[in-house]
Amino acid sequence: MIIVCSGGFGEVYIARSLASDEYVAVKMIKLVDEHGRNIKKSHNSYHNEVAMLEAVRGHSNVIKLYDAMHTQKCAYLFLELATHGSMRTYI
């Protein structure tokens, strides 16, 4: 996987879907800190983001959420890959 960007909650990678053989974005959110303690903000961020993306599923102007899963240490969101750069360049 190729890292695209990183931030306070985790990183975003480019990966190839085994199911469709297409490129997708994988957002990895750290759920525990370096000492193994839960990061409540990360848990809330993950659940809120999944809920919002599921609520607008099918809207043509919103990145598609293909799947979401989590382990004890990390959460993963499998998203449509936006290939035209950062949204900040268009705002």
Side-chain angles (χ1 to χ4, degrees), residues 28-46:
M28 184 188 77
I29 301 170
K30 297 173 195 167
L31 299 177
V32 296
D33 65 15
E34 61 275 0
H35 304 291
R37 295 181 298 236
N38 284 334
I39 304 171
K40 187 172 181 164
K41 267 184 148 176
S42 293
H43 284 271
N44 291 341
S45 174
Y46 165 68

Side-chain angles (χ1 to χ4, degrees), residues 7-32:
F9 289 108
E11 294 88 28
V12 177
Y13 298 89
I14 297 175
R16 185 171 286 198
S17 168
L18 295 176
S20 67
D21 202 38
E22 293 182 18
Y23 287 102
V24 296
V26 180
K27 185 173 187 178
M28 184 188 77
I29 301 170
K30 297 173 195 167
L31 299 177
V32 296

